[in-house]
Amino acid sequence: MKLGIPGTRRAATVVLTSGAVLTTGLVATPAQATAPTPTPALAAAAAKPSISAKGGYVMNSGTGKSLYTKAADTRRSTGSTTKIMTARVVLAQKNLNLNRKVTIQKAYSDYIVRNTASSARLIVGDKVTVRQLLYGLMLPSGCDAAYALADTFGSGSSRSARVKSFIGKMNSTAKSLGLKNTHFDSFDGIGKGSNYSTPRDLTKLTRDAMKNATFRTVVKTRSTKQKTVTKSGGYRYMNWTNTNPLLGTYSGATGVKTGSGPEAKYCLVFSATRGGKTVIGTVLASSSSAKRTSDAKKLLTYGFSK
């Protein structure tokens, strides 16, 4: 009786003395008698989740509707989620040949060592295709792969000029997409103090990038084995595993990219599709790797409930 609808306690008391009065009472309150009682499960589904990340955003990719916001427009360091834009710029090149071979330079390897950066373990002198560099960029989060792509697709007579040109393309693309709180000063997220974005902007960027079939294929890949040509004309195999913990652990997960760093903390741009509905979102500055995964799963589940 404690879980009954309001008013039924009095009716129950009367029934001890008069069944006729009980009948009258029930007829007098039909709305009360038929009103559904909310279940705890439904209430939980509608509750806005609490996340450890300082910033978060979720949208329905199909409609563009915002489903969740937490400091969604506050600028923060983005870590390697920057590489989403790196890939986006490469894939937007006119007459792009994904099978074009790029020779790995010592400068890319030296850069990794100098910055203690995440690496695709590219070997100097090897010839690697643009498609393979995209896998090396997005799965193991290779800063060497990012450098190779920036050097290849930037314009200029020197490597520094080409890199500067490529970063310029990243910023012009951000502007064209209406990302008003985004700026890049690096091709990989190892910035110089002016590499930032917001949860909303990164989600909008990713929604746009996911329109490209190659991008979608790369970011949903859990692991890959790629054959590259060595300097001597032989070949070797490169094995890369995706750093995204959602792949294989969250039903329907389709990407996208992790990021971390002293300033950025732990970041994750994520997407998943269930029943024809795609949800995309971002968490920035989560407190740990485990927390960013938990945050993303909470937000995806919440997004699908909306």
Side-chain angles (χ1 to χ4, degrees), residues 219-239:
V219 300
K220 74 178 181 182
T221 300
R222 294 175 64 181
S223 63
T224 185
K225 184 177 183 179
Q226 299 286 333
K227 185 178 181 180
T228 63
V229 179
T230 66
K231 187 176 182 178
S232 62
Y235 65 88
R236 79 174 87 247
Y237 285 102
M238 306 298 292
N239 293 286

Side-chain angles (χ1 to χ4, degrees), residues 16 19 34 42 60 65 107 141 144 146 164 167 207 232 239 241:
L16 296 176
T34 59
L42 289 175
N60 180 322
K65 180 183 177 182
S141 198
D144 45 358
K164 182 178 180 180
I167 295 171
R207 183 193 187 202
S232 62
N239 293 286
T241 301

Side-chain angles (χ1 to χ4, degrees), residues 59 61 210 246 250-256 270-274 276-281 300-301 304:
M59 75 154 58
S61 182
M210 291 288 271
L246 296 179
Y250 188 88
S251 177
T254 55
V256 176
F270 49 86
S271 70
T273 300
R274 290 181 179 177
K277 178 180 179 179
T278 296
V279 173
I280 299 179
L300 279 169
T301 300
F304 283 118

